[in-house]
Amino acid sequence: MKKDIKKYKLLNIKLTPQRIAILDYLERNKTHPSVSEIFKYVNRRFPSMSFATVYNTLNTLVQHGRIRELTMDNDKKRFDPNTLPHHHLTCIKCKRIIDVDLDYPLSLPENKSSGFKVLGNHIEFYGICSECSSLNKQQKKKLSEII
Amino acid sequence: MKKDIKKYKLLNIKLTPQRIAILDYLERNKTHPSVSEIFKYVNRRFPSMSFATVYNTLNTLVQHGRIRELTMDNDKKRFDPNTLPHHHLTCIKCKRIIDVDLDYPLSLPENKSSGFKVLGNHIEFYGICSECSSLNKQQKKKLSEII
DNA sequence: TTATTAGATTATAATGATTATAAAATAAGA
DNA sequence: TCTTATTTTATAATCATTATAATCTAATAA
Ligand SMILES: [Mn+2]
Ligand SMILES: [Mn+2]
Ligand SMILES: [Zn+2]
Ligand SMILES: [Zn+2]
């Protein structure tokens, strides 16, 4: 209880069980989950929880700078509880997203920024994860199971 | 006519007026437009054109590696006719996306890539464009006009 | 040139993600 | 404990995107 308050109170938003559950899930999770993944999890503990609450909570947390909204997955929003500057590596097949905790000092000269105030950057490495690399074998298995 | 064929024929897809118009628009355009922006434009020349054709064409061109689908804008897909490796600078307010044509050699050591086959990277610089920076004044004007 | 046909376009329905609305519930402070 | 501003919930609405099926046409070859 105290923990929760200590951890979340600074946001100056009401501390509800649903919000605590959502933020707890995000913090114990390194997968950069989507809204439906978050909903699936917290809904197990709060069967009455609405999908709208997950959206509301996530939007509120983003607005308060408590979490970060990722863009790499064009199909749906993904969320990151770590708002410190860091980069990501995405699997182009399954859209798995992992952290890249390396420092890359990137400077963008003013004469190349067309009048923009440059605030930061984010590197998206992309590739194919090990599961998707070895999919040829698995594909056959799964296909044979399905068909 | 010959130009079109020379330009697009290599894709081994049927050369239709709609496809030519869509690709022409993309190539004369540095704004990384969305589907609806593309539709709005080509629909002026092909009033019978369907929204589905724009989606179909864009997906086909992406699949054939002729254009690139961008992810920075979480609200809608944006498209880039330049498939050569380059980076981008996005306005966090209006989502304007401009090119960053600088070479940044970024290496991701194997022991930091969790078994991924790393294929490339893309840097998203972000900031505030000049139009959005000066919005405070404009906002007042527009607000006073509206209210 | 004409006939054939695989592939493209169109109109439209369906889906999926996200946002909006309004009533009921509740956290937080007095 | 009381009050109230916020939040949650249920649900409808909206927006982007994909799927379907009928119609059309670019490309090929006779
Ligand atoms: Mn992360
Ligand atoms: Mn570009
Ligand atoms: Zn994968
Ligand atoms: Zn802007």
Side-chain angles (χ1 to χ4, degrees):
Chain A
M1 281 292 164
K2 269 253 202 68
K3 274 183 299 183
D4 293 333
I5 295 171
K6 196 167 33 174
K7 255 167 97 184
Y8 309 127
K9 195 53 185 294
L10 46 137
L11 296 178
N12 283 88
I13 57 174
K14 273 194 191 173
L15 198 60
T16 67
Q18 294 90 336
R19 285 177 168 176
I20 292 167
I22 289 169
L23 200 42
D24 273 348
Y25 175 65
L26 276 168
E27 292 199 327
R28 286 195 262 92
N29 196 300
K30 293 280 164 213
T31 67
H32 307 91
S34 65
V35 177
S36 65
E37 286 163 344
I38 294 166
F39 175 77
K40 239 172 267 172
Y41 181 83
V42 292
N43 188 56
R44 289 208 295 267
R45 327 210 171 285
F46 294 88
S48 75
M49 156 124 26
S50 161
F51 230 96
T53 299
V54 182
Y55 275 103
N56 290 339
T57 298
L58 291 169
N59 286 337
T60 300
L61 293 173
V62 167
Q63 278 154 20
H64 285 76
R66 181 61 190 74
I67 65 175
R68 171 173 156 192
E69 186 179 306
L70 301 179
T71 61
M72 305 112 201
D73 189 340
N74 245 346
D75 291 335
K76 48 191 171 315
K77 292 176 177 175
R78 307 274 293 261
F79 295 87
D80 193 336
N82 180 6
T83 57
L84 296 174
H86 66 287
H87 308 291
H88 293 95
L89 170 54
T90 304
C91 175
I92 58 175
K93 292 198 174 178
C94 69
K95 302 292 163 66
R96 192 186 312 263
I97 300 173
I98 68 173
D99 283 334
V100 173
D101 288 314
L102 285 170
D103 196 36
Y104 294 91
L106 303 175
S107 74
L108 182 54
E110 197 153 333
N111 65 324
K112 289 283 189 179
S113 35
S114 306
F116 277 57
K117 257 179 253 165
V118 180
L119 300 174
N121 63 73
H122 171 228
I123 306 171
E124 287 178 23
F125 291 94
Y126 54 88
I128 299 178
C129 77
S130 49
E131 277 83 354
C132 290
S133 293
S134 59
L135 203 68
N136 284 336
K137 320 162 197 172
Q138 293 180 339
Q139 273 177 329
K140 291 174 190 168
K141 286 182 197 169
K142 286 183 182 172
L143 275 177
S144 66
E145 285 165 13
I146 294 164
I147 302 172
Chain B
M1 282 291 165
K2 271 255 201 65
K3 275 184 297 182
D4 293 333
I5 294 171
K6 198 168 30 175
K7 254 167 99 184
Y8 309 126
K9 195 53 186 294
L10 47 137
L11 296 178
N12 284 89
I13 59 174
K14 273 194 190 171
L15 196 60
T16 67
Q18 294 89 338
R19 284 177 168 175
I20 292 168
I22 290 168
L23 201 41
D24 274 347
Y25 175 65
L26 277 168
E27 292 198 327
R28 285 194 264 93
N29 197 300
K30 293 281 164 213
T31 67
H32 307 90
S34 65
V35 178
S36 65
E37 285 163 345
I38 295 165
F39 175 77
K40 238 173 267 169
Y41 181 82
V42 291
N43 187 57
R44 290 209 294 268
R45 324 209 173 287
F46 294 87
S48 74
M49 155 122 29
S50 162
F51 230 96
T53 299
V54 182
Y55 275 103
N56 290 340
T57 298
L58 292 169
N59 286 337
T60 300
L61 293 173
V62 167
Q63 278 152 22
H64 286 77
R66 182 62 191 73
I67 65 175
R68 173 173 156 192
E69 187 180 304
L70 301 178
T71 62
M72 306 111 199
D73 189 340
N74 245 346
D75 290 335
K76 48 190 171 315
K77 293 176 177 174
R78 307 275 292 261
F79 294 87
D80 193 335
N82 180 5
T83 58
L84 297 174
H86 65 287
H87 307 292
H88 294 94
L89 170 53
T90 305
C91 175
I92 58 175
K93 292 198 175 178
C94 69
K95 301 293 163 64
R96 192 186 314 262
I97 300 173
I98 67 173
D99 283 335
V100 173
D101 288 314
L102 285 170
D103 196 36
Y104 294 92
L106 303 175
S107 73
L108 181 54
E110 198 152 331
N111 65 325
K112 289 282 190 180
S113 37
S114 306
F116 278 56
K117 256 179 256 167
V118 181
L119 300 174
N121 63 73
H122 172 229
I123 306 171
E124 286 179 23
F125 291 94
Y126 54 88
I128 300 178
C129 77
S130 50
E131 277 83 353
C132 291
S133 293
S134 59
L135 203 69
N136 284 337
K137 319 162 197 171
Q138 293 179 340
Q139 273 177 329
K140 289 174 192 169
K141 286 182 198 168
K142 287 184 181 172
L143 275 177
S144 67
E145 286 165 13
I146 295 164
I147 302 173

